[in-house]
Structures are given as structure tokens and as C-alpha cells.
Amino acid sequence: VSNYRLRSGAESILNGLNLARAEAVRRNSQVSFALTGTSSGWTVSDSAGAVIQSRADSDTGGLNAASSNSATSVTFLPTGLVNATGTWLTQINLSSATSGTDTRRIDVFGGGLIRMCDPAVAAANDPRRC
């Protein structure tokens, strides 16, 4: 159950990031994705600050979503690329409060590529590998 919650929370964040990027291209304006709280909560908002979609931090209890740097948000340009001025959310590490549970990592690259991987996978030819 804990692994399912972790995977569900990670997929939710991944979907939020993909939504933000797609909305930036569709609206031809900047759209931001921001982590809210310490779990898997997030908000996607347009350049005026209006919320497009959000997920509550409490929807997936027992998870910890931490940025690899101090940033908790990323802004996508109308081209789908990341607004690389300043510091942006480049990596999200998700873990569960339950011991023995898997972890997930989500990478956000400057070119707009968003990728989820499993840090525990070591096989070189496995697509889940980080």
C-alpha cells in the first residue's frame, strides 16, 4: 500500500508538471508549477497567478517530496522550455514515511523534458534507472 501511495504521488506530480508545460504552449504564455507543503501537493498557475489546477498536500498522506535545491517552483515558457533565469525546481525526491518503501525521483530539464525514475534500479539497460 505504501509503495502504491508513493507511485501515485509521484505520478500526480509528474502529471502536474506535464500539465504546466502543455498549458504554457497552449496559452502561449508562461505557466508555473509549484510544490505546496512537504508532501505531494502542487499548484499550476498562469502568469497572472490564477490557479489552473491543484492537488492538496493531504491527498497522499505519508509522503515526503523534497527539492534537490532551494527552489519549489518551475516556470514554463510558451515554447515549452523552462524559464532558466534564476533557480528553478530541477529535481524532486519522493520518499515514504514507511520504512522499506521505494523512492522516486523526478527530473526537470531546461529543455522542458520531465522524467521520473527509480534510484534503486541499477541495471544499465533498464529504462527506470536514474
Side-chain angles (χ1 to χ4, degrees):
V1 173
S2 295
N3 283 331
Y4 173 76
R5 283 187 186 148
L6 178 73
R7 190 173 58 243
S8 175
E11 288 174 356
S12 170
I13 291 173
L14 184 68
N15 290 337
L17 284 161
N18 282 322
L19 172 69
R21 184 174 185 268
E23 284 295 311
V25 172
R26 187 179 76 79
R27 294 170 183 243
N28 197 28
S29 66
Q30 294 187 15
V31 174
S32 297
F33 170 91
L35 287 175
T36 58
T38 58
S39 190
S40 61
W42 51 266
T43 300
V44 174
S45 54
D46 64 13
S47 58
V51 174
I52 297 169
Q53 189 173 358
S54 66
R55 179 176 176 145
D57 202 28
S58 61
D59 285 354
T60 312
L63 293 183
N64 181 30
S67 171
S68 64
N69 57 16
S70 61
T72 58
S73 66
V74 60
T75 301
F76 292 95
L77 299 170
T79 58
L81 302 174
V82 169
N83 183 349
T85 57
T87 305
W88 76 87
L89 182 65
T90 58
Q91 188 179 91
I92 305 167
N93 297 302
L94 286 114
S95 59
S96 175
T98 307
S99 63
T101 307
D102 295 339
T103 59
R104 292 290 184 272
R105 186 174 90 196
I106 299 172
D107 294 313
V108 181
F109 300 100
L113 176 67
I114 305 160
R115 180 175 182 263
M116 180 170 59
C117 60
D118 185 349
V121 175
N125 60 349
D126 193 327
R128 298 172 299 153
R129 180 174 176 239
C130 291

